[in-house]
Each structure stands twice: as C-alpha cells, then as structure tokens.
Amino acid sequence: MVQVTRKDQKEANENVIRRFNRKVLQSGVLARAKSVMRFAKPISKIERRKKAIIRRERRAEKTARMRMGATR
C-alpha cells in the first residue's frame, strides 16, 4: 500500500494528491491491477478457427456491400 504523509500542515491538498498519484504510478500497483483485469483464458484451437471463419465472412460481406454502394 502506498502511503503519503503531509510534509507540514500548510501543504496544499493538491500537492498531496499529486505526490500520491506519482507514488502510485511509480509503484506499479495500477499496472498490475489493469493487467489482471484484462486477463483472458486461452481459447482452444477449434474456437479460434470458428472465430476466424466468422471474421472472414463478415469482412467479405462488408466489402461486398461497399462495392454495391452501401455506406455501412
């Protein structure tokens, strides 16, 4: 846990917040938390192939519509 204490009683709140944010960024706590949030289980080969097929079909449909003159 990152702790920041006031240097003296006259120090502005903005300065304390700025120092806290800097310490949090330097410690890497946020980076670790975000990487854990984005973790996804690896998908099987079959699922990857199915998704690739769907992606190719959608791309082909989109290019066909664009050639016909549709905007989207």
Side-chain angles (χ1 to χ4, degrees):
M1 180 68 191
V2 178
Q3 292 181 343
V4 177
T5 57
R6 285 183 184 261
K7 291 183 179 177
D8 59 355
Q9 296 297 329
K10 297 179 183 178
E11 186 177 20
N13 290 336
E14 292 83 19
N15 292 342
V16 175
I17 293 171
R18 191 176 306 120
R19 282 193 300 123
F20 174 76
N21 287 339
R22 192 177 317 122
K23 289 231 181 192
V24 168
L25 283 175
Q26 288 174 352
S27 70
V29 173
L30 280 179
R32 256 184 276 125
K34 286 182 181 181
S35 68
V36 169
M37 275 181 15
R38 288 190 297 262
F39 177 77
K41 288 185 178 179
I43 58 175
S44 68
K45 206 174 203 179
I46 296 169
E47 287 297 318
R48 259 188 284 144
R49 286 179 182 166
K50 287 180 183 177
K51 286 184 179 184
I53 291 169
I54 292 170
R55 220 175 21 250
R56 277 190 229 118
E57 288 173 353
R58 286 182 183 163
R59 192 178 301 141
E61 288 174 10
K62 184 177 178 182
T63 55
R65 281 194 310 244
M66 287 179 68
R67 288 180 183 153
M68 296 292 282
T71 56
R72 286 192 177 213

